[in-house]
Amino acid sequence: MHEIPDWLSFDIDDIREQRAEHGRPWQEFIRVPDLYAGLYEIPTGDQDPQSPHDTDEVYYVLEGRASFLVEDQRMDVQPGSVLFVAKGKNHRFVDIAEDLSVLVFFATPGGSTT
């Protein structure tokens, strides 16, 4: 079993660089038994292929503008928007009008890592 650090520090530019190196929209930067987090970036006009997750999650929009769908509800998001999505709910970003950069935090009760 890995020891959980008392604290960690991250630089968003370093995380962006790591994400860009592999060319995928998601870059995880922390994983501990009860939480994992990452940076999710989608360019203007691209599609968000997300499907429901099996954990609750919180999104914090750093940059960009888009709409966000949860089931049949739609809301506009912009820098500073904070969104909660319960596990198992259909959700995705749509109509991405400006390059989107979002921090995503997943709860993993009981140490689940899915």
Side-chain angles (χ1 to χ4, degrees):
M1 180 162 185
H2 297 279
E3 185 174 327
I4 300 171
D6 291 336
W7 64 275
L8 295 167
S9 176
F10 303 93
D11 182 282
I12 196 70
D13 290 333
D14 291 342
I15 297 167
R16 280 191 172 119
E17 185 176 307
Q18 292 168 8
R19 190 207 61 75
E21 284 176 7
H22 61 66
R24 293 183 303 269
W26 170 254
Q27 178 63 47
E28 185 176 297
F29 61 89
I30 187 170
R31 183 175 291 260
V32 294
D34 296 325
L35 169 82
Y36 68 99
L39 177 68
Y40 190 47
E41 295 189 310
I42 309 168
T44 303
D46 270 14
Q47 300 296 312
D48 178 3
Q50 289 191 76
S51 57
H53 301 99
D54 61 358
T55 61
D56 294 336
E57 59 190 301
V58 172
Y59 293 89
Y60 176 72
V61 179
L62 296 170
E63 297 174 359
R65 296 185 186 282
S67 292
F68 191 67
L69 294 177
V70 179
E71 298 292 335
D72 62 352
Q73 297 181 31
R74 181 186 183 107
M75 64 215 74
D76 292 333
V77 298
Q78 60 193 6
S81 295
V82 179
L83 309 160
F84 167 78
V85 180
K87 65 182 177 182
K89 298 296 179 183
N90 284 314
H91 63 284
R92 69 182 32 84
F93 292 96
V94 297
D95 300 330
I96 299 166
E98 294 177 10
D99 291 352
L100 201 56
S101 184
V102 182
L103 291 176
V104 187
F105 302 89
F106 292 90
T108 55
S112 169
T113 57
T114 57

